[in-house]
Amino acid sequence: FVGFHGLEDKDVIFPFGHGLSYTNFAYTLLELAAVGTADVGLPQDCWGAVVCVRARITNSGATAGIEVPQLYLGFPDGLGEPPKVLRGFARTPMLSPGASADIAFP
């Protein structure tokens, strides 16, 4: 393999998708929701999706910053799929220390 796929099972300093930042972020309120025919109570970003993953991202560091969370799916062995598939990513607004943003991956 070429690129990060060849390093999937290796111990590396900065794994693929790992960004460097001058601050830290905490992921809380992780939620997986299966969406039915009624999208009541779900954020507009999730309307029409089959499954929606939501999280709250909080700047837990001392410096303002932006986080780009990524959602990867894993498949059971034998299905012919790669070990990890990037399903989505989102960019938070600039978060001051202690500030939070809610994100959704429909």
Side-chain angles (χ1 to χ4, degrees), residues 51-78:
V51 174
C52 186
V53 177
R54 297 188 294 176
R56 176 163 292 156
I57 312 290
T58 302
N59 183 343
S60 59
T63 304
I66 296 171
E67 178 74 329
V68 181
Q70 301 171 359
L71 176 68
Y72 288 87
L73 292 181
F75 293 93
D77 292 336

Side-chain angles (χ1 to χ4, degrees), residues 1-93:
F1 289 103
V2 176
F4 74 94
H5 290 293
L7 302 174
E8 193 71 37
D9 297 328
K10 307 286 189 235
D11 187 23
V12 295
I13 296 173
F14 300 109
F16 179 74
H18 176 86
L20 299 177
S21 179
Y22 291 104
T23 193
N24 296 309
F25 295 93
Y27 288 63
T28 58
L29 301 178
L30 296 174
E31 180 181 60
L32 176 66
V35 180
T37 55
D39 295 322
V40 178
L42 294 174
Q44 188 171 359
D45 291 347
C46 293
W47 290 359
V50 175
V51 174
C52 186
V53 177
R54 297 188 294 176
R56 176 163 292 156
I57 312 290
T58 302
N59 183 343
S60 59
T63 304
I66 296 171
E67 178 74 329
V68 181
Q70 301 171 359
L71 176 68
Y72 288 87
L73 292 181
F75 293 93
D77 292 336
L79 293 180
E81 296 289 337
K84 294 179 187 173
V85 176
L86 178 63
R87 175 57 184 95
F89 60 93
R91 186 175 194 263
T92 67

